[in-house]
Amino acid sequence: MGIARVALDCPMNSLFDYRQPGQRLTVGQLVVVPFGVRRQVGLVLEVAEQSEIADARLRSIESVMPVEPLPAHTLALIRFSSDYYQCPIGQAAFAALPAVFRRVRYVAPEPQRQYVLTATGRNLNADQFPVRAIVKRRLLQALRSEHALRRSDLNALSARAVAVAESWVGEGWVEKLELIAPRVKPGFMTSAQHELTQEQRNAVEAIAAGFGSYSPWLLEGVTGSGKTEVYFSLIERAVGRGQQTLLLVPEINLTPQLEQRFRGRFPDLRLVSLHSNLADGERCANWLAGQAGQAQVVIGTRLSIFTPLPHLGLIIVDEEQDGSFKQQDGLRYSARDLAVFLARLRQVPIVLGSATPSLETYHNARNNRFGHLHLSRRPVASRASIKLVDIRGMPKAQGLSDEVLQALAARHERNEQSLVFLNRRGFAPTLVCNACGWNAGCSRCTARLVWHLRDAVLRCHYCGHQERLPRSCPSCGNQDLKGLGQGTQRLEQLLGVRFPDARVLRVDRDSTRRKHAWHTMQDEIRGERVDILVGTQMLAKGHDFPKLTLVVVVNPDSALFSTDFRAGEKLFQQLMQVAGRAGRADLAGEVLVQTQFPGHPLYQALVHQDYRSYAEELLEERRRAAFPPFVYQALLRAESQSEAKVMEFLAYAANQAGTGRTAVTLYDPVPATIAKLAGHHRGHLLAQSASRTELQRFLSEWRPRLVEKKATRVRWSLDVDPIDL
Ligand code: ADP
Ligand code: ZN
Ligand code: ZN
């Protein structure tokens, strides 16, 4: 009787031996096994004839899950992730798989359906419904404008939308079609296929020449330069070859509009999406459609990198510099880096697209490890012009300069929209006492409390702690407490006073907290019921608002003095991204950046929209300072309610690294930037090497020793290639 070696979701980095059941197993199968006193799902990674474990102690596999075994290439990717990111194999495996596969009582997901209006349904009129039947009205409108809605779309619309749609099936107004059956609504316009520009054609030809082999490319081009059109052409070719495409996009970009654009361009395409907001069943169904080879295109966020795609022919990573490709807990992988590994493993071309590539990717292109393609012009719209507004002489309290106010007024007069963008990284309004220097800090974290104007509370943005606004300084009794810094709420107020007849909409994490709020807001903006938008990061990416012609950036300067060596790179990327929001095909865009340091090289490069010159400068800085991409890093993080425990653990770790290492540098243990978070003290230890291999070798020897310590009351983790220190 054979043995199966099974990976289980537990912190031990080893496989567990089980007796095979009557049937012969293959690697890649999911099985239910007894583990301790419970039953658990495991992934068979090896089969063998014999076990080292005594026969009497060997337990048997209980059942085999009714799922196709994972293919060898997916197992290879999981193994690589586990090794490279120093994550126990079972944890890595189950971080990679959809959650439903973790259930011992797995039921295959119901076939997913999409809801489409029938002929009778298309004749419905929203006015048939009472004015207060908001869900019905909204549903009808959505079914009309998008040609098909899936369960997840309905849930995004309203919690009751599925129930309403089901009742409409009964009425004969709506029919349910199979999920991946392509469907074009009668009269639904497929978007026209553009004649590619010379640059686009060159890019497509260069990349397509590499079909069937590993060839990595950086496709550089500003927003609107036509990268997506290049993706379209490549996908068309991959489909023509009978192959599947994996398209990775940042979390915030995977919007219904994006999917709609793809469906519009390829009405016959079998496309599925994968992201964390899908219901478990839908995510599983889409995964299985990929694994079965049915889905021709999988478009997804970082987690979709693990989808088994038997006919994979092409990988595209859009906005490859985006931070959301890095998983920040459990298996701390970079989906972009894994995508490159996967492309090599599967011998397919990979395209990394960006307006402002990460320095890691830029460096690879510069060293000819990646091919470098550039789309230098926008085929339709001209680029927005970027201007610096010197605010050195401006009174602090004013917040917006005269030049900015005039520009806002002009847009308002022309019925165009403006966006006032606040870079909130390390910057938020807080409360200070000018008499004694007291400032409002969180009692559980080393973070300042943020002053929320509207609810008159101080709130910690790290742990959620909240307290009422004090009437006087808790330290000296001074009654005249002042706000410091500028928040979106203050800006919203200020704009309301300056432009009393303008409709101002604030979009940030607070104002969109309610479910569906952001959805509704986008409708308001597209419907031109908003004049001035005030917002943070959420508005920087991905959203196209055709009437938006002015972007004002209020306070980017703080990032120039950050302790994070990536701050400059991130700021430039973010400003270019937000600049991409201004101006569409027929309306020229303008970007105004308020700064006290107009001469700074970052802003100079920004004005000329010349990322390369700035990237070259940053690279030179990093080379001199020995920072990534010239070295490789791993961060050991530890946290505990006891500060002493953290430091003791890190000191132990440093000690275990041994001496005589030359290729790996270990820095001293230090408190984290947020040294205390929700009552937990945090510290870290940085390991660094000019050689990736050496660092990997070191980590694989080091980690087991850290496990041996069996540290109590300390939580620790290793982060390989961390993007935040
Ligand atoms: P990106 O993905 O780089 O932001 P897109 O591919 O979305 O750019 O292109 C921006 C706009 O330009 C879109 O409206 C697109 O339809 C249009 N466009 C792209 N390529 C062409 C072309 N060759 N001819 C005409 N219009 C184009
Ligand atoms: Zn005081
Ligand atoms: Zn806190």
Side-chain angles (χ1 to χ4, degrees), residues 432-438 472-478 481:
V432 294
C433 170
N434 282 344
C436 77
W438 171 87
S472 56
C473 172
S475 160
C476 75
N478 172 16
L481 293 177

Side-chain angles (χ1 to χ4, degrees), residues 327-570:
Q327 167 83 22
Q328 298 288 15
D329 55 30
L331 175 62
R332 293 174 162 77
Y333 63 97
S334 154
R336 180 207 50 216
D337 295 350
L338 285 185
V340 175
F341 171 82
L342 186 64
R344 191 195 299 264
L345 181 75
R346 305 293 303 277
Q347 291 294 303
V348 300
I350 176 167
V351 183
L352 306 177
S354 179
T356 48
S358 65
L359 286 188
E360 281 78 4
T361 297
Y362 184 77
H363 186 56
N364 279 331
R366 221 164 151 270
N367 288 342
N368 299 320
R369 275 194 290 268
F370 295 173
H372 196 166
L373 297 162
H374 198 200
L375 302 181
S376 62
R377 286 172 308 120
R378 278 181 158 183
V380 282
S382 58
R383 275 188 203 194
S385 65
I386 302 182
K387 244 185 97 184
L388 303 175
V389 179
D390 187 345
I391 53 164
R392 271 173 295 189
M394 186 180 85
K396 261 225 163 77
Q398 195 177 327
L400 295 174
S401 63
D402 291 336
E403 186 172 349
V404 162
L405 289 170
Q406 275 161 24
L408 286 168
R411 292 312 183 295
H412 183 38
E413 219 143 83
R414 295 206 294 267
N415 285 321
E416 293 169 12
Q417 292 171 328
S418 307
L419 161 62
V420 180
F421 179 78
L422 194 71
N423 176 36
R424 202 138 57 169
R425 230 168 230 288
F427 197 92
T430 186
L431 205 61
V432 294
C433 170
N434 282 344
C436 77
W438 171 87
N439 63 56
C442 177
S443 51
R444 310 167 64 201
C445 310
T446 47
R448 282 208 187 151
L449 293 174
V450 177
W451 179 12
H452 286 250
L453 210 56
R454 181 157 309 170
D455 324 325
V457 294
L458 296 168
R459 191 176 292 148
C460 173
H461 279 200
Y462 291 96
C463 75
H465 166 79
Q466 181 169 312
E467 54 192 67
R468 297 217 59 81
L469 217 54
R471 286 177 181 282
S472 56
C473 172
S475 160
C476 75
N478 172 16
Q479 305 245 326
D480 187 24
L481 293 177
K482 288 228 156 44
L484 185 73
Q486 196 163 27
T488 43
Q489 297 192 358
R490 277 244 228 139
L491 265 177
E492 184 189 19
Q493 247 183 10
L494 180 84
L495 288 163
V497 173
R498 282 299 191 137
F499 303 101
D501 63 334
R503 294 156 299 181
V504 179
L505 178 70
R506 177 169 57 90
V507 182
D508 58 19
R509 232 181 298 154
D510 288 319
S511 72
T512 54
R513 191 167 294 161
R514 260 189 38 247
K515 216 178 162 200
H516 310 308
W518 177 217
H519 198 89
T520 317
M521 285 183 183
Q522 285 176 306
D523 285 348
E524 294 286 297
I525 303 167
R526 290 214 172 76
E528 296 176 31
R529 294 185 288 278
V530 173
D531 301 307
I532 304 177
L533 282 159
V534 180
T536 51
Q537 276 79 301
M538 287 192 68
L539 280 172
K541 303 182 195 177
H543 306 286
D544 261 358
F545 301 122
K547 275 283 191 170
L548 187 69
T549 59
L550 174 69
V551 171
V552 175
V553 181
V554 175
N555 60 340
D557 289 342
S558 54
L560 299 177
F561 308 101
S562 167
T563 52
D564 175 5
F565 68 86
R566 285 192 173 86
E569 177 189 350
K570 288 179 191 161

Side-chain angles (χ1 to χ4, degrees), residues 260-281:
Q260 211 53 39
R261 188 168 167 202
F262 273 81
R263 288 180 196 280
R265 176 68 155 70
F266 300 109
D268 302 328
L269 197 70
R270 294 191 304 272
L271 177 148
V272 299
S273 62
L274 276 174
H275 51 87
S276 53
N277 280 341
L278 290 181
D280 283 351

